[in-house]
Amino acid sequence: MTSERPLVGIIMGSQSDWPTMKHAAEALDGLGVAYETKIVSAHRTPDRLVEYAKSAKGRGLKCIIAGAGGAAHLPGMAAAMTPLPVFGVPVQSSMLSGKDSLLSIVQMPGGVPVGTLAIGKAGAKNAGLLAGAVIALMDDAVAAKLDDFRAAQTESVAIDPVDES
């Protein structure tokens, strides 16, 4: 994370979500986007959640990435309390492999939007890239890094298949 004022908030329901959510942070690091990370449980620290979500815009955040497993109320509750875009990352759970988390996040009622990503590492990485795309709308340097990332990704794909055995 850079030492600049954070533009993206990465929140998660518990410490056990960090191995997934760190991929959002790594994506933002690659784009040079400043972020903050916090553990904010919708169920165990509801007052912390209210304070975090209600103060996010005033503190200069432009969007929030919220990762949660199981009942996965964190992204929706954050979205209900901030006008900022909220991107939900379903964390893979032990009981239902993250399907419960995915359904909890994606089934938001009309009027309380949460952009929902894939389950697990891919979802967290894409949430970081999506948050970076939001920041790129107002920061040409981030836009250039995002363009470079996409170009490098394209270049890394072989044209012809090869036997790898």
Side-chain angles (χ1 to χ4, degrees):
M1 177 171 72
T2 64
S3 61
E4 299 171 30
R5 189 170 97 189
L7 298 175
V8 177
I10 301 174
I11 58 175
M12 63 214 78
S14 67
Q15 175 63 44
S16 64
D17 297 338
W18 179 241
T20 297
M21 299 308 294
K22 72 180 180 180
H23 299 287
E26 290 168 355
L28 291 167
D29 283 336
L31 298 174
V33 174
Y35 59 88
E36 63 185 23
T37 57
K38 302 288 180 198
I39 297 172
V40 181
S41 171
H43 302 111
R44 293 180 299 273
T45 63
D47 292 337
R48 187 184 304 171
L49 169 58
V50 170
E51 172 60 28
Y52 187 88
K54 287 189 173 190
S55 70
K57 184 177 180 183
R59 293 184 296 106
L61 295 183
K62 303 302 182 195
C63 60
I64 296 172
I65 299 169
H73 291 123
L74 181 61
M77 289 301 297
M81 292 183 275
T82 184
L84 298 177
V86 175
F87 305 121
V89 177
V91 174
Q92 188 167 357
S93 59
S94 59
M95 296 300 284
L96 297 172
S97 298
K99 293 180 188 111
D100 50 343
S101 310
L102 173 66
L103 293 174
S104 293
I105 297 171
V106 80
Q107 291 297 324
M108 289 301 298
V112 186
V114 173
T116 307
L117 285 297
I119 297 169
K121 175 182 175 180
K125 178 179 180 178
N126 284 342
L129 292 170
L130 189 56
V134 169
I135 304 307
L137 293 171
M138 49 199 119
D139 186 321
D140 291 339
V142 174
K145 287 181 182 180
L146 189 57
D147 288 344
D148 291 346
F149 168 82
R150 289 179 181 207
Q153 181 174 249
T154 298
E155 287 294 316
S156 74
V157 177
I159 294 173
D160 298 313
V162 297
D163 287 328
E164 295 182 353
S165 51

